[in-house]
Amino acid sequence: MRVKDSIILYFSVWALISALFAPSIDLFFTLLLIGFLIFIEIGDFFIDNNSKEVLKSFKYVLIAIFVFIVVDKIRTILVK
């Protein structure tokens, strides 16, 4: 099995475990972002440049979702 395939498999298992045990969608996306950033850092040397570009776009989408979650949490704190 190639290292790239291993990283995808481990990230998929991480996403599945996060989906099963996260009590809210906010926590799920936060755990997904954390796991994604860890797996990208570990496998950075083993992934080719074309795949890195696709993973960067996925990373930006997850960061944007995380920013919306943080802004929503701040808004709920300030409204109360």
Side-chain angles (χ1 to χ4, degrees), residues 24-38:
S24 68
I25 193 76
D26 298 342
L27 183 61
F28 168 70
F29 277 115
T30 304
L31 289 173
L32 198 64
L33 175 65
I34 291 169
F36 185 75
L37 292 175
I38 289 170

Side-chain angles (χ1 to χ4, degrees), residues 8-47:
I8 292 171
L9 177 68
Y10 292 142
F11 181 68
S12 299
V13 170
W14 174 256
L16 181 66
I17 290 171
S18 298
L20 291 175
F21 293 111
S24 68
I25 193 76
D26 298 342
L27 183 61
F28 168 70
F29 277 115
T30 304
L31 289 173
L32 198 64
L33 175 65
I34 291 169
F36 185 75
L37 292 175
I38 289 170
F39 288 124
I40 292 303
E41 279 299 315
I42 290 173
D44 188 39
F45 296 111
F46 304 109
I47 301 171

